Amino acid sequence: MPTTHAIAGLITRLHDPHYARRASQIRRTGGCRQPIHLRGKVEHYDRTTGHLLHRYSTHLEPDGMLRVPCKTRRASRCPSCAETYRADTYHLVRAGLIGGKGVPQTVAAHPCLFVTLPAPSFGTVHARREKDGKVLPCHPRRGAPTCPHSQVMSCTARHGADEGCLGEPLCPDCYDYAGSVLFNALAPELWRRFAMALRRHLAKLAGLTQKGLAAQLVASFAKVAEYQRRGVVHLHAVIRLDGPDGPASPPPAWATIGMLTQAVQHAATVVTAKVPAYDGQPSRALRWGAQLDTRPITMHGELTDQAVAGYIAKYATKAAECVGTLDRRIQPLENLAALPIREHARRLIAECLRLGSFDELADLRLIQWAHMLGFRGHFSTKSRRYSTTLGALRAARAEHKRDEQITTGRLPLFDEDTVLVVAKWQYAGQGLSAGDALLAAALTGVPMTHLSDAPGGGS
Ligand SMILES: [Zn+2]
Ligand SMILES: [Zn+2]
Ligand SMILES: [Zn+2]
């Protein structure tokens, strides 16, 4: 329900002589919840005569400011900009599967797998299982043992899809919280080692040295991290085999999907990442979980390019907040008990803060990444030659925007070579006033909730 303050603000806007200009600014930010405010001017001069050809200044804009979209990828911060990011990621992943955006269509014939590298178990958690459309009991065990904390290690409930206990341990005191956050912290390293082992094993299967392999074949990937409800990350990756020059060159005939599958399975089982000894705890090796999943991606089969691109793009805009943690950094001295989060997330965060204080684990930066439950990797990354880049997609959009500004009379059409452009911009704040937020919601159809608590900074 909008406040009276917001409604009063909206009414002022509607009576403002600058209304049309303001409305067009808001439309142009596409419903951004936390637009950046800029003050400044652009001047076009003729290089030969020095004459001023055109001047644009934010001086004439409402409040003397131009509002531009925040461009975050985090859906919890700005649904509208995150949607742009999601759509870009979708096109980027899809171009790597079927071609387009500068990637040749022949790429569709290259061996390609969709691989899920899961986290291992850190203790039994409540789960919803389905078989043939029927919901199965969670963890039914007749004569189940009782844990040292008097908890019977069995659950016969058939859980609903949204039940709060899903992903939470049967006994929190038995759960390996340290293992869970250390796994998240080491997942990027485990991926790096997996990618190296994959190349090594492909070379071995082909009877080549690693150098010999690189001369004939390149493995490209696009990957995304997904938080499980229990608070650990899984990695999903598209792994594709190309010729030595990337997507435009065909892989050698011996590089089959069967060989790729074999190499992936081998690499996923052999790699480990080592946690050093700390606080009297021995050093331990973490590895991927056993539920490795590898599936071929085909244009018409069970797993299509659209499904894979959609899946990766969806997770690219999500962070740990879906586990019930916070969308901001946590200070070491913060009162965790006062945070509005689930108990399981609270214990994972507390474990990050505890482990982060040991010198031996300092490199893992667990305190800085406590709100991400230890994971500090990027949510979606790809190898250089996988497909086009987000930058290229953004440049194409900026070009389109410029054309639009020229056609709407905002910028004059000059030959780039003859014109000297002088621009001066200044950051003047961020966000929307309560009245502008209502106006934005009305103009763009994007609901503008939680306006006052949009946090800045972070990842
Ligand atoms: Zn935004
Ligand atoms: Zn259960
Ligand atoms: Zn227990």
Side-chain angles (χ1 to χ4, degrees):
M1 205 42 205
T3 61
T4 43
H5 167 68
I7 293 168
L10 174 63
I11 291 168
T12 312
R13 291 297 183 226
L14 293 173
H15 288 96
D16 185 342
H18 290 299
Y19 171 77
R21 198 72 168 177
R22 185 183 300 273
S24 93
Q25 269 199 14
I26 286 177
R27 278 199 201 92
R28 222 179 344 259
T29 60
C32 176
R33 180 193 277 186
Q34 45 178 11
I36 313 280
H37 303 169
L38 296 173
R39 268 186 229 286
K41 59 179 181 177
V42 189
E43 290 172 347
H44 292 87
Y45 291 94
D46 189 314
R47 275 181 196 276
T48 45
T49 65
H51 283 305
L52 176 67
L53 298 170
H54 174 266
R55 166 185 284 156
Y56 164 74
S57 166
T58 56
H59 199 67
L60 297 171
E61 300 287 352
D63 307 330
M65 282 181 315
L66 184 67
R67 290 162 179 83
V68 298
C70 72
K71 292 193 177 166
T72 180
R73 66 167 182 80
R74 303 281 291 271
S76 57
R77 293 185 183 169
C78 179
S80 160
C81 292
E83 173 55 26
T84 308
Y85 185 93
R86 191 200 61 73
D88 283 354
T89 304
Y90 176 88
H91 290 301
L92 183 150
V93 172
R94 192 143 187 251
L97 296 173
I98 60 164
K101 315 268 173 204
V103 181
Q105 285 173 7
T106 47
V107 82
H110 297 193
C112 193
L113 282 180
F114 186 58
V115 177
T116 298
L117 293 160
S121 169
F122 296 103
T124 310
V125 296
H126 293 283
R128 178 183 160 91
R129 301 176 205 285
E130 281 182 56
K131 200 183 171 194
D132 306 325
K134 271 179 64 182
V135 182
L136 302 177
C138 174
H139 284 288
R141 280 180 73 185
R142 199 169 297 131
T146 303
C147 83
H149 316 97
S150 323
Q151 178 71 44
V152 180
M153 296 310 271
S154 167
C155 174
T156 54
R158 292 167 202 269
H159 294 299
D162 295 320
E163 254 178 74
C165 70
L166 291 179
E168 302 202 338
L170 265 58
C171 175
D173 294 324
C174 284
Y175 197 72
D176 181 8
Y177 282 97
S180 178
V181 300
L182 288 169
F183 179 85
N184 282 351
L186 285 168
E189 175 61 16
L190 212 43
W191 166 267
R192 199 180 66 81
R193 293 183 183 201
F194 164 80
M196 285 191 317
L198 178 68
R199 290 189 186 103
R200 237 181 357 251
H201 202 65
L202 281 170
K204 194 177 163 206
L205 291 175
L208 296 167
T209 61
Q210 286 219 62
K211 215 171 159 193
L213 181 84
Q216 295 190 37
L217 176 142
V218 170
S220 298
F221 65 86
K223 76 177 199 298
V224 69
E226 176 204 357
Y227 276 88
Q228 301 290 288
R229 289 184 85 139
R230 58 192 167 115
V232 278
V233 287
H234 278 192
L235 296 188
H236 302 284
V238 173
I239 304 176
R240 190 188 64 210
L241 298 182
D242 298 331
D245 300 319
S249 55
W254 52 259
T256 61
I257 190 111
M259 186 195 234
L260 177 59
T261 307
Q262 203 186 330
V264 164
Q265 281 166 349
H266 175 83
T269 45
V270 298
V271 293
T272 58
K274 213 167 148 192
V275 181
Y278 65 93
D279 192 32
Q281 298 286 323
S283 149
R284 75 191 273 193
L286 292 172
R287 54 180 71 236
W288 300 111
Q291 269 81 45
L292 174 77
D293 190 45
T294 57
R295 291 180 211 207
I297 304 164
T298 54
M299 282 171 82
H300 306 289
E302 189 190 344
L303 189 63
T304 63
D305 53 285
Q306 284 115 315
V308 169
Y311 196 69
I312 290 203
K314 177 179 148 208
Y315 285 108
T317 60
K318 282 204 177 147
E321 58 269 21
C322 47
V323 184
T325 173
L326 286 185
D327 184 18
R328 63 164 173 85
R329 291 231 163 136
I330 291 164
Q331 305 307 318
L333 296 177
E334 210 163 319
N335 178 11
L336 294 187
L339 295 177
I341 53 176
R342 285 164 54 198
E343 192 52 33
H344 184 56
R346 198 186 319 274
R347 288 185 74 148
L348 287 164
I349 290 169
E351 193 64 6
C352 287
L353 299 182
R354 187 181 78 83
L355 295 179
S357 66
F358 294 109
D359 288 344
E360 297 88 338
L361 303 178
D363 288 350
L364 301 178
R365 301 173 66 211
L366 285 161
I367 294 175
Q368 288 95 316
W369 297 98
H371 65 302
M372 303 297 267
L373 314 179
F375 181 66
R376 65 189 188 290
H378 290 290
F379 277 83
S380 54
T381 47
K382 61 174 191 59
S383 52
R384 190 167 48 87
R385 289 197 274 201
Y386 176 74
S387 75
T388 181
T389 63
L390 279 177
L393 288 175
R394 286 197 181 126
R397 205 168 38 239
E399 190 57 32
H400 170 77
K401 276 242 155 96
R402 186 176 169 275
D403 289 349
E404 183 193 86
Q405 290 186 330
I406 289 167
T407 52
T408 54
R410 245 184 128 85
L411 282 179
L413 182 62
F414 291 130
D415 184 351
E416 299 281 351
D417 288 341
T418 63
V419 180
L420 176 68
V421 180
V422 179
K424 219 174 148 183
W425 295 100
Q426 190 193 350
Y427 177 81
Q430 189 176 15
L432 289 168
S433 72
D436 280 348
L438 271 188
L439 185 58
L443 289 171
T444 63
V446 180
M448 301 270 159
T449 49
H450 316 107
L451 284 155
S452 53
D453 59 358
S459 60

